[in-house]
Amino acid sequence: MINAYAPGDDGGLSEQERALIARRARVLGPSYRLFYEHPVHVVRGEGVWLYGPGGEAYLDVYNNVAVTGHCHPHVVAAIAGQAALLNTHTRYLNEIIVNFAERLVAKLPDEISQVMFACTGSEANDLALRVARAHTGGTGVIVTETAYHGVTQAIAELSPSLGAGVPLGAHVRTAPAPRAVGDVGRGFADGVRSALADMQRTGVKPAALLVDTVFSSDGVFAEPKGFLAEAVAAARAAGAIFIADEVQAGYGRLGEAFFGFQRHGLVPDLVTMGKPMGAGHPLAAVAGRPEVLEKFGRASRYFNTFGGNPVSCAAGMAVLDVIEAENLIGNALRVGQSMRAAIAALGSAAIVDVRGAGLFIGVELTDADAAARVVNGMRERRVLISATGPRANVLKVRPPLVFGMEHAEIFIDALSAELAHL
């Protein structure tokens, strides 16, 4: 895993930290990972800050889940208030799930008018895959070469970024991620067409093109607007549907629209959502065109014990309240543009490219070693980011959307100092 703590490398850790890591390993087993050479111990969050047990403050420039900031009072109050009133499931009549669904589909194109709720982005993508197979009669799925879409069995098979230990399914084909050179749209579409041709040769009927619309695990590619259209058209011409994975790009993060696909002038067949929907409360969804959902819904009833429960829906509506009331999409656009310009202005020889949109920024460095040194150096300065991309050399910057200009200055100062060390 990129930016992972190496067990046994305990230099610089306090006795308390070593003891907690040992306890964690005993009861959680070997599958869990920690970030950073020196793991971060947090006990509280507020806004764009995380706090350690001694009160030390870390600037969070990484966690896109807390889209409204850690522990936003309006979201906390909504969760607590609904938990004190009622929490059950979707097989009873209750207005709150309908109210939330109506507000959510209002953010989507008119063609996408129905929604099903889940708890995680993995569940949402798993459900979308089932819908795609029912609608098309196919099984084949195209993803990008370093994509991450989730951890269920079916979706882990569509997530090359999980590594060689999690093999892709026989029905899965990969296309190279976009490249920030030449005709980006044509280049990406050519890769999708090659994947479709291979499916045809091997007798795999296409079901879906599944794309994270900011290509976050592939190294962050957001420009130029509209470049996705040619690839989507190629997939549809072959009988596949387009699933926009908005788990990372959605909810205003890219600064110009509520969802990443909207920057490309597209109307997907299905849209999956997760991470930021509840600002930390487990909440996810699949929204789709009624004609795409119809066959699955007729043949297979859908029920998720916790998906769409009243507390989750209260959290979801509170998050929408904050995004709208505090103009967080406008803030993402303004602060993100300023940050990208400031990073480029550093003029470091270690920086190969600065790209992204809104408050999702990728800073490509010369190599993985440089990225690891910067990420861990900034952690020691209590500024938290991570890295991504097939070569692990792209700094991944995606703070809560309440991140302001004053916070951006702290980040730029820390980044400048670490780049100088290189």
Side-chain angles (χ1 to χ4, degrees):
M1 188 185 84
I2 296 173
N3 187 29
Y5 163 71
D9 185 6
D10 295 339
L13 296 179
S14 69
E15 184 177 342
Q16 180 191 24
E17 289 168 335
R18 287 196 296 272
L20 183 56
I21 289 170
R23 288 174 57 203
R24 174 185 164 108
R26 278 197 301 272
V27 295
L28 299 184
S31 291
Y32 285 91
R33 303 289 189 271
L34 288 164
F35 273 156
Y36 306 110
E37 293 173 357
H38 179 182
V40 178
H41 182 184
V42 294
V43 298
R44 183 171 71 87
E46 182 178 352
V48 299
W49 299 97
L50 292 168
Y51 295 90
E56 57 275 21
Y58 297 89
L59 181 64
D60 186 356
V61 201
Y62 180 73
N63 282 295
N64 60 338
V65 173
V67 63
T68 56
H70 294 280
C71 303
H72 192 289
H74 183 64
V75 178
V76 171
I79 292 171
Q82 185 60 51
L85 181 65
L86 173 71
N87 200 30
T88 183
H89 53 71
T90 57
R91 286 181 170 165
Y92 299 108
L93 274 174
N94 189 278
E95 287 188 3
I96 193 166
I97 186 173
V98 179
N99 293 340
F100 180 42
E102 288 173 342
R103 285 189 66 181
L104 188 59
V105 298
K107 302 290 186 186
L108 291 155
D110 291 343
E111 296 90 334
I112 300 174
S113 60
Q114 294 178 345
V115 62
M116 296 182 287
F117 292 106
C119 301
T120 69
S122 295
E123 284 187 355
N125 280 325
D126 193 282
L127 178 58
L129 179 61
R130 292 172 62 195
V131 171
R133 288 174 170 170
H135 177 70
T136 64
T139 59
V141 182
I142 301 169
V143 297
T144 51
E145 288 179 340
T146 323
Y148 173 76
H149 295 290
V151 296
T152 68
Q153 176 68 38
I155 299 303
E157 291 182 345
L158 309 180
S159 298
S161 68
L162 292 175
V166 185
L168 299 183
H171 58 290
V172 180
R173 300 294 183 273
T174 62
R179 291 293 174 257
V181 293
D183 187 332
V184 178
R186 175 59 57 85
F188 182 58
D190 284 346
V192 170
R193 280 188 281 262
S194 293
L196 290 165
D198 189 66
M199 284 184 181
Q200 186 176 29
R201 282 193 301 272
T202 54
V204 176
K205 184 177 180 181
L209 170 64
L210 174 59
V211 173
D212 163 5
T213 58
V214 76
F215 298 88
S216 52
S217 295
D218 293 290
V220 185
F221 295 94
E223 300 290 348
K225 298 174 193 175
F227 79 78
L228 267 178
E230 186 175 347
V232 171
R236 284 174 168 162
I241 66 169
F242 169 44
I243 305 173
D245 182 341
E246 294 287 340
V247 171
Q248 300 212 52
Y251 266 60
R253 174 153 298 279
L254 303 189
E256 296 168 72
F258 201 82
F259 293 105
F261 68 80
Q262 291 168 320
R263 300 177 70 254
H264 293 280
L266 293 167
V267 178
D269 299 292
L270 298 173
V271 179
T272 58
M273 299 162 257
K275 294 181 187 297
M277 287 187 72
H281 184 91
L283 177 58
V286 179
R289 300 172 184 253
E291 64 272 22
V292 174
L293 296 171
E294 192 272 337
K295 188 172 183 179
F296 172 82
R298 184 162 37 83
S300 308
R301 65 181 182 270
Y302 173 69
F303 176 68
N304 182 319
T305 302
F306 297 108
N309 72 74
V311 172
S312 294
C313 291
M317 286 203 291
V319 169
L320 294 180
D321 290 342
V322 175
I323 290 173
E324 294 165 1
E326 299 185 13
N327 188 25
L328 295 189
I329 298 178
N331 185 69
L333 179 64
R334 179 176 60 93
V335 177
Q337 287 175 336
S338 176
M339 288 176 69
R340 291 194 303 278
I343 295 166
L346 293 176
S348 171
I351 296 178
V352 175
D353 193 19
V354 181
R355 51 185 180 258
L359 282 174
F360 208 131
I361 300 171
V363 184
E364 184 175 347
L365 301 186
T366 50
D367 55 51
D369 179 66
R373 289 168 62 189
V374 169
V375 167
N376 284 287
M378 291 184 72
R379 177 260 175 267
E380 294 306 314
R381 296 176 185 274
R382 297 180 183 170
V383 176
L384 305 180
I385 62 170
S386 193
T388 189
R391 296 173 52 219
N393 65 323
V394 180
L395 305 181
K396 181 158 54 170
V397 179
R398 50 173 202 185
L401 297 193
V402 293
F403 202 80
M405 291 293 194
E406 67 277 22
H407 308 121
E409 290 180 7
I410 298 170
F411 163 78
I412 293 295
D413 287 346
L415 178 61
S416 177
E418 288 306 317
L419 289 172
H421 282 177
L422 294 179

